[in-house]
């Protein structure tokens, strides 16, 4: 190896080639947890001080950190896992990233390919293991392949639909000497403008005022199209709903046309949309149901129109009168002038509807405040009050990463921000995402403050994120909403009339008690200061102090089992 370096001074190890490509792709962080197969990369990082290794203490946390980073920075996150075991540890959050359509370039160290025939320790078929959770998976065979495969990975992670891709990195490939040139990143304009926009504008203009609703899916965030969606909604005075089980709140929650997120049962969604004769869905997979109910989520006689960059989502579940394929931001930019011309004779009617929407919003805010005030001095803090006090203390500008299922519905109701980027949520549904995602979110925002709302059950899946937040000196405030149970599961069971568990008020395997978890001791063991709150009036003070501290901190809020 030394002789090769002397003979050809341009020769360097595969690990160094990889870092050169990452640098050219604008990568600042590698999220990971190293093992023996990653040692060539860890050694090469000594010569790359501009690329920081973010150490997670478990691979599930590493994946969610990369996910949170990618969502906040709106560019692919890069992570490096450890062989088959580490990839297995990360699979839950890798599935979350896949469902959320988060662009990730996922790599894992692989055993030296020269002795895989002997079944060495740590060897596994990484490509097959990763396959179900990624867009594609491949093993690098030679160091000379690294530039092409890495660039392909970054490009495909960002191509619609966005999502994770996977590369297996054998140890000998990372050690192999190579003189390959890395080339430059390709310039790819993905903002294609949909066809049939004139026809779409005519269809939308033909819907009677007040009878059209817009569904802003998570794709609005990735397209950076919130401003265009606001203009569209105001032009038509159309209420804007978010996805029923969202990754983001991609519309300003302080806007009078924001109608909140849809419910999660088909019957409830249909009831919520019953007064509309047409829906315009921006992005796909926005009508997500959890428990089965009879009937369609789309009301009878309601026409569906759709715009998405992902052709697979168009007409996938529900018949659409017209679906068009294209980037949301670019396509709306072209469609809006056509729409304005088509509705020019109805502008006064739309203005009246928007004024009514503002009045209705003000009434709703008053009702929400009254409901919280009524519960403010309950013996144990209610989920509604915990949510209202947390949102009030956080304010409209600080990013929120939410995995507190017991309070999330209330949190979303009390959001009141002019930003479309404030709120993110566990779209994939596999617990253990929130705390590490908040770490990645802060890094993606340039180490800005973030508040992570997390349930006590979810907090136990990836508490290692506390250590990384402290180690990186990140201003993340972790708020644990603690009801000492899997509250959402009990709620689902209570809704089933024939379940004995509900009738007898006995739920097996759903209580996190006897002994209770000491979250303060857990946080302090990882270098994170912590405090516990029992009174509703102390929630805001604690969160404001946590944010003002500028350091990682944890607040446990004891809430009622409702």
């Amino acid at each position: 190896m030394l002789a090769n370096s002397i003979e050809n001074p341009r020769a360097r190890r595969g690990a160094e080639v990889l870092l050169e490509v990452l640098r050219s792709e604008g990568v600042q962080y590698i999220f990971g947890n190293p093992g023996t197969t990653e040692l060539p990369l860890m050694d090469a990082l000594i010569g790359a001080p501009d690329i920081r290794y973010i150490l997670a203490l478990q691979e599930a946390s590493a994946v969610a950190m990369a996910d949170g980073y990618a969502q906040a920075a709106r560019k692919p996150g890069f992570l490096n896992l450890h062989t088959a075991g580490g990839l297995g540890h990360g699979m839950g959050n890798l599935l979350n990233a896949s469902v959320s359509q988060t662009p990730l370039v996922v790599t894992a160290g692989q055993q030296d390919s020269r002795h895989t025939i002997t079944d060495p320790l740590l060897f596994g078929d990484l490509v097959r293991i990763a396959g179900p959770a990624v867009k594609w998976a491949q093993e690098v065979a030679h160091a000379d392949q690294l530039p092409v495969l890495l660039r392909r990975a970054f490009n495909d992670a960002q191509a619609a639909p966005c999502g994770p891709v996977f590369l297996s990195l054998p140890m000998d490939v990372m050690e192999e000497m190579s003189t390959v040139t890395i080339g430059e990143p390709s310039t790819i304009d993905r903002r294609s403008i949909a066809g049939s926009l004139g026809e779409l504008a005519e269809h939308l203009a033909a819907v009677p005022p007040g009878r059209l609703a817009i569904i802003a899916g998570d794709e609005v965030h990735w397209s950076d199209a919130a401003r265009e969606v606001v203009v569209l909604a105001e032009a038509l005075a159309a209420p804007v709903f978010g996805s029923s089980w969202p990754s983001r709140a991609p519309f300003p929650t302080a806007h009078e046309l924001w109608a909140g997120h849809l419910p999660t049962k088909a019957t409830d969604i249909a009831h919520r949309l019953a007064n509309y004769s047409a829906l315009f869905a921006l992005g796909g997979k926005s009508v997500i149901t959890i428990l089965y109910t009879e009937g369609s989520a789309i009301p009878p006689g309601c026409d569906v129109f759709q715009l998405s960059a992902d052709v697979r989502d168009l007409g996938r579940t529900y018949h659409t009168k017209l679906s068009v394929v294209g980037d949301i931001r670019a396509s709306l930019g072209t469609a809006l002038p056509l729409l304005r011309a088509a509705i020019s004779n109805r502008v006064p009617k739309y203005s009246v509807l928007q004024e009514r929407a503002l009045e209705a919003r003000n009434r709703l805010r008053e009702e929400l405040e009254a409901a919280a005030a009524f519960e403010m001095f309950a013996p144990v803090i209610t989920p509604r009050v915990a949510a209202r006090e947390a949102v009030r203390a956080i304010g409209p500008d600080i990013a929120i990463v939410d995995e507190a299922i017991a309070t999330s519905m209330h949190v979303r109701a009390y959001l009141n921000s002019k930003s479309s980027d404030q709120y993110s949520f566990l779209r994939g549904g596999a617990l253990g995402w929130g705390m590490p995602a908040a770490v990645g979110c802060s890094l993606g925002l340039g180490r800005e403050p973030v508040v992570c709302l997390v349930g006590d059950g979810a907090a136990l899946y990836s508490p290692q994120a506390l250590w990384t937040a402290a180690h990186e000196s990140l201003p993340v405030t972790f708020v644990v909403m603690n009801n000492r149970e899997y509250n959402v599961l009990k709620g689902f069971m209570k809704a089933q009339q024939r379940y004995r568990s509900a009738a007898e008020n006995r739920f097996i395997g759903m209580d996190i008690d006897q002994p209770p978890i000491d979250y303060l001791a857990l946080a302090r063991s990882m270098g994170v200061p912590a405090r516990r709150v029992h009174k509703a009036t102390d929630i805001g003070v604690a969160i404001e102090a946590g944010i003002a501290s500028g350091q990682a901190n944890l607040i446990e809020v004891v809430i009622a089992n409702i």
Side-chain angles (χ1 to χ4, degrees):
M1 191 174 297
L2 179 60
N4 287 341
S5 301
I6 294 173
E7 292 170 7
N8 191 336
R10 291 183 59 249
R12 67 278 196 224
R13 291 178 296 172
E16 292 164 316
V17 174
L18 181 145
L19 293 175
E20 289 175 18
V21 177
L22 296 190
R23 183 178 295 110
S24 71
E25 292 284 347
V27 172
Q28 296 175 279
Y29 301 108
I30 296 175
F31 299 89
N33 180 269
T36 51
T37 54
E38 290 69 53
L39 295 182
L41 173 61
M42 305 310 292
D43 187 62
L45 279 167
I46 297 294
D50 54 326
I51 299 177
R52 186 171 181 84
Y53 188 88
I54 304 299
L55 175 59
L57 301 185
Q58 208 262 10
E59 286 89 350
S61 292
V63 177
M65 287 175 193
D67 187 332
Y69 171 82
Q71 290 197 37
R74 281 197 178 92
K75 65 179 186 179
F78 183 88
L79 61 147
N80 183 240
L81 306 177
H82 176 50
T83 62
L87 178 57
H89 289 159
M91 280 299 288
N93 276 326
L94 192 53
L95 288 167
N96 279 335
S98 180
V99 173
S100 298
Q101 298 186 345
T102 304
L104 298 179
V105 176
V106 184
T107 63
Q110 173 64 292
Q111 258 288 6
D112 190 310
S113 63
R114 292 169 296 186
H115 72 153
T116 55
I117 195 172
T118 67
D119 298 323
L121 184 68
L122 303 174
F123 175 69
D125 191 342
L126 304 188
V127 170
R128 289 185 64 189
I129 294 171
V134 298
K135 296 175 72 171
W136 56 258
Q138 186 169 341
E139 185 162 284
V140 182
H142 302 285
D144 288 356
Q145 296 178 346
L146 283 165
V148 169
L149 290 178
L150 284 165
R151 299 230 188 266
R152 185 178 299 168
F154 277 96
N155 290 339
D156 288 355
Q158 299 173 83
C162 296
V165 298
F166 177 80
L167 286 173
S168 170
L169 304 175
M171 197 171 184
D172 54 313
V173 170
M174 298 296 277
E175 292 277 18
E176 181 185 354
M177 301 303 293
S178 173
T179 60
V180 68
T181 56
I182 67 165
E184 296 180 359
S186 298
T187 300
I188 302 174
D189 185 351
R190 297 182 178 86
R191 294 197 177 278
S192 59
I193 298 173
S196 301
L197 292 178
E199 184 182 352
L200 177 63
E202 291 175 5
H203 278 301
L204 297 179
V207 179
R211 298 282 288 170
L212 173 72
I214 297 169
I215 302 177
D218 297 326
E219 193 178 323
V220 171
H221 169 78
W222 290 110
S223 181
D224 197 15
R227 186 183 68 83
E228 287 73 16
V229 178
V230 168
V231 174
L232 171 70
E234 291 177 345
L236 296 168
V240 178
F241 294 91
S243 301
S244 53
W245 193 261
S247 174
R248 313 289 306 190
F251 192 86
T253 53
H255 198 287
E256 63 268 22
L257 292 173
W258 174 243
H261 288 88
L262 291 168
T264 58
K265 291 183 180 179
T267 50
D268 293 343
I269 295 171
H271 178 75
R272 189 73 180 85
L273 300 175
N275 293 328
Y276 303 103
S277 57
L279 303 174
F280 186 21
L282 300 170
K285 297 184 178 67
S286 297
V287 182
I288 307 298
T289 54
I290 300 177
L291 294 182
Y292 173 78
T293 55
E294 191 72 29
S296 171
I298 305 300
C302 186
D303 293 329
V304 177
F305 303 92
Q306 192 173 7
L307 166 61
S308 174
D310 183 3
V311 67
R312 303 176 311 167
D313 276 335
L314 303 180
R316 178 180 175 85
T317 304
Y318 304 102
H319 167 75
T320 61
K321 193 166 186 177
L322 177 63
S323 290
V324 292
V325 184
D327 174 76
I328 294 175
R329 179 180 174 183
S331 298
L332 288 182
T334 299
L336 284 167
L338 303 175
L339 181 62
R340 287 195 188 95
I343 63 172
S344 58
N345 61 338
R346 291 183 175 178
V347 171
K349 292 182 179 179
Y350 291 127
S351 297
V352 171
L353 286 173
Q354 190 159 345
E355 290 174 4
R356 291 177 182 171
L358 179 59
E359 294 170 0
R361 173 181 168 76
N362 290 337
R363 288 194 300 271
L364 177 60
R365 301 300 298 186
E366 290 173 1
E367 292 169 3
L368 288 169
E369 289 301 317
F374 179 77
E375 299 176 7
M376 188 68 181
F377 297 101
V380 183
I381 301 169
T382 66
R384 180 195 299 275
V385 169
R388 194 278 300 268
E389 290 299 290
V391 171
R392 181 189 62 76
I394 294 166
D397 301 320
I398 292 175
I400 299 172
V401 176
D402 189 4
E403 195 185 18
I405 310 300
T407 56
S408 60
M409 177 183 69
H410 299 299
V411 165
R412 292 197 285 267
Y414 285 100
L415 291 174
N416 192 30
S417 174
K418 294 180 180 179
S419 170
S420 59
D421 294 326
Q422 183 184 30
Y423 181 82
S424 57
F425 182 68
L426 173 67
R427 170 66 177 84
L431 294 183
W433 170 85
M435 295 178 79
V439 171
C441 179
S442 180
L443 290 168
L445 295 174
R447 296 178 176 265
E448 288 294 308
V450 172
V451 175
C452 175
L453 307 176
V454 61
D456 54 318
L460 295 174
Y461 280 75
S462 51
Q464 301 92 338
L466 292 167
W467 183 89
T468 303
H471 181 69
E472 291 292 330
S473 301
L474 294 173
V476 180
T477 298
F478 299 93
V479 181
V480 179
M481 302 292 188
N482 186 7
N483 52 27
R484 295 186 180 182
E485 65 179 21
Y486 294 129
N487 179 264
V488 67
L489 298 183
K490 289 186 178 181
F492 282 152
M493 294 192 81
K494 290 174 182 177
Q496 308 305 310
Q497 297 179 355
R498 296 186 298 275
Y499 276 23
R500 288 180 56 188
S501 298
E504 298 178 13
N505 196 32
R506 180 167 168 260
F507 303 91
I508 296 173
M510 297 182 193
D511 293 292
I512 311 173
D513 207 348
Q514 298 180 0
I517 307 297
D518 189 340
Y519 291 94
L520 275 59
L522 179 62
R524 289 167 183 158
S525 74
M526 298 193 189
V528 175
R531 63 185 294 184
R532 181 177 292 120
V533 171
H534 289 280
K535 295 170 59 178
T537 52
D538 292 336
I539 296 174
V541 174
I543 293 177
E544 289 168 358
I547 295 170
S549 73
Q551 63 178 338
N553 65 100
L554 181 142
I555 301 160
E556 178 189 358
V557 179
V558 179
I559 62 173
N561 302 323
I562 296 177

